[in-house]
Amino acid sequence: MYKIALVEDEIDLNNLKYNVNYLVNKLNNYQHHIAVVKADCYSHYDIKTINAIISGGINFLAVATIEEAINIRKYNKKIPILCLGYVHSEDIKFCAKNNISVTINSLETALSIKNYKNLKVHIKLNTNMNRLGINNTKDFDETKKYLMELDDGNIIETVAMFYKHGITVCISTQVGCNMGCRFCASTLG
């Protein structure tokens, strides 16, 4: 018979905060510092753990499920949260109201959210690792354009180009992009 050793670990929240702060300061040229706290902080969940991470300088959280996002929202109303997993259509309105970004990993998901103006999204593309993401190129033409309206009413365009070897995506990061790509309406800005 095998004996199972019980393991107990202890997180020093001051050390966690220090380590996170060290990394944030080393990577200070980024706007967002995202901590992936899915699976209950990898089985170390406690709101104190998340608060230590935030106190260390993290300004964005990522979770696997909407349930995890809802649980964090009970304690922290402000920090942006990205839900990496599937979000049911019934929960989209909650996400739009509560600063929870949803992951678009299929054409169906993209079409189901088109009526939510304040919803923030993360587009997950399968880049031939065949894990998650939009990968069914039969749903798309060779090139697919997506127009996105910003909060201020300006429009930017994303262009996805599908090839046998993978996907190339151009995402305009500003209105009136000056790259001059002939296929992109953002240049016309």
Side-chain angles (χ1 to χ4, degrees), residues 31-48:
Q31 179 181 1
H32 297 292
H33 296 91
I34 302 173
V36 179
V37 294
K38 65 182 185 173
D40 292 331
C41 290
Y42 297 92
S43 299
H44 296 98
Y45 179 76
D46 184 308
I47 198 62
K48 292 177 188 173

Side-chain angles (χ1 to χ4, degrees), residues 6-50:
L6 297 177
V7 177
E8 186 175 311
D9 55 0
E10 182 177 315
I11 305 265
D12 184 317
L13 297 177
N14 289 324
N15 287 346
L16 177 62
K17 179 181 171 181
Y18 175 85
N19 291 341
V20 168
N21 187 262
Y22 177 82
L23 290 172
V24 167
N25 287 326
K26 281 287 191 186
L27 303 169
N28 64 0
N29 56 333
Y30 292 96
Q31 179 181 1
H32 297 292
H33 296 91
I34 302 173
V36 179
V37 294
K38 65 182 185 173
D40 292 331
C41 290
Y42 297 92
S43 299
H44 296 98
Y45 179 76
D46 184 308
I47 198 62
K48 292 177 188 173
T49 305
I50 290 177

Side-chain angles (χ1 to χ4, degrees), residues 146-174:
Y146 302 93
L147 292 177
M148 293 180 257
E149 184 177 357
L150 303 175
D151 290 340
D152 63 4
N154 284 306
I155 303 290
I156 60 172
E157 183 174 50
T158 297
V159 179
M161 295 156 274
F162 297 89
Y163 305 103
K164 288 182 182 179
H165 65 275
I167 301 168
T168 300
V169 178
C170 173
I171 300 176
S172 296
T173 57
Q174 60 188 11

